[in-house]
Amino acid sequence: MLVALICKDKPGALQTRLNNRPAHVDMLKSSDIVRQAGAFVNDAGEMCGSLIILEVETMDAARAWAANDPYAKAGLFESVELQHWNRVIG
């Protein structure tokens, strides 16, 4: 199943994101369940959240992946949502 991991950063946490970005990107690139990933940006063009599409067997697997994300471990996120996603195009 495909799961959308939707994360919004805490206000004023850009430096936390930047400090942990290399480890986060390494995890994305080394994972065999990440299908798409990218950052949300605010009106100033600064990263302020993440959207990651995971392909997993269970929602628990998605939860485990999200919990081990270096961004999550650093306390970057104000909110995290996991939503079963049905791809229609692409």
Side-chain angles (χ1 to χ4, degrees):
M1 88 169 100
L2 294 173
V3 175
L5 171 58
I6 304 160
C7 306
K8 305 282 178 71
D9 296 358
K10 292 176 181 173
L14 180 58
Q15 193 58 53
T16 300
R17 175 175 278 274
L18 295 174
N19 292 346
N20 291 279
R21 193 172 196 304
H24 169 75
V25 171
D26 285 346
M27 183 176 174
L28 292 172
K29 289 180 177 181
S30 67
S31 176
D32 62 349
I33 66 170
V34 174
R35 296 298 169 256
Q36 294 182 338
F40 293 120
V41 293
N42 61 22
D43 291 341
E46 298 170 335
M47 294 178 287
C48 62
S50 300
L51 171 63
I52 302 169
I53 305 298
L54 304 172
E55 187 168 3
V56 292
E57 292 294 321
T58 66
M59 191 60 79
D60 283 341
R63 285 186 196 98
W65 193 96
N68 285 308
D69 181 349
Y71 281 166
K73 289 181 175 183
L76 174 63
F77 300 128
E78 178 177 61
S79 66
V80 175
E81 180 183 352
L82 288 161
Q83 180 66 53
H84 187 176
W85 183 64
N86 182 36
R87 179 184 2 222
V88 175
I89 297 173

